[in-house]
Amino acid sequence: QGRLVESGGGSVQAGGSLRLSCEHSGLPLGTFIMAWFRQAPGKEREGVAAIYIVGSHTYYADSVKGRFAISHDKAKSTLYLQMNNLQPDDTAMYFCAADGDWPFGEYNYWGQGTQVTVSS
């Protein structure tokens, strides 16, 4: 049974940085794609970044290109999202996902989310 647990959210001022972590366990052996999504109040969920964990090919939403970086540490079974130059529009609940359609299609496993709040 796949399990994803996010951490690292918090409150920062505009221009600040946060690093989100997503520790995973029990995922199917054929899981190669993982991603970060976010959902702000009153808005639809949107894909932020995706990664092939074998080979490390990445994909970013236009809104975060150049500011966010997704990575994966196989030894620690952990997905990361480094977020720099955060802006108020980045305020949302952030979710990690695994075993899905590249880059932001349907995913089979989801974490519970971690809140990111950016103040101006």
Side-chain angles (χ1 to χ4, degrees):
Q1 195 82 1
R3 185 167 182 259
L4 306 174
V5 180
E6 301 99 332
S7 61
S11 297
V12 296
Q13 291 191 327
S17 298
L18 284 172
R19 188 176 80 156
L20 305 184
S21 299
C22 173
E23 189 171 348
H24 60 84
S25 60
L27 295 175
L29 290 178
T31 299
F32 299 118
I33 299 172
M34 298 189 73
W36 288 96
F37 288 77
R38 67 186 181 187
Q39 188 166 21
K43 294 187 177 181
E44 292 188 355
R45 186 176 64 197
E46 63 173 347
V48 174
I51 186 169
Y52 274 97
I53 61 176
V54 178
S56 297
H57 180 64
T58 58
Y59 183 93
Y60 296 95
D62 287 343
S63 58
V64 305
K65 279 181 183 176
R67 300 189 298 124
F68 290 13
I70 188 172
S71 61
H72 181 263
D73 187 328
K74 181 180 179 181
K76 296 183 178 180
S77 296
T78 301
L79 179 73
Y80 298 100
L81 185 68
Q82 178 66 44
M83 305 185 295
N84 298 325
N85 191 22
L86 283 160
Q87 300 300 315
D89 283 348
D90 296 316
T91 295
M93 184 74 78
Y94 283 72
F95 301 88
C96 70
D99 189 27
D101 295 324
W102 183 263
F104 302 136
E106 294 294 320
Y107 279 74
N108 293 317
Y109 299 93
W110 292 86
Q112 82 289 347
T114 186
Q115 178 67 38
V116 172
T117 302
V118 185
S119 57
S120 57

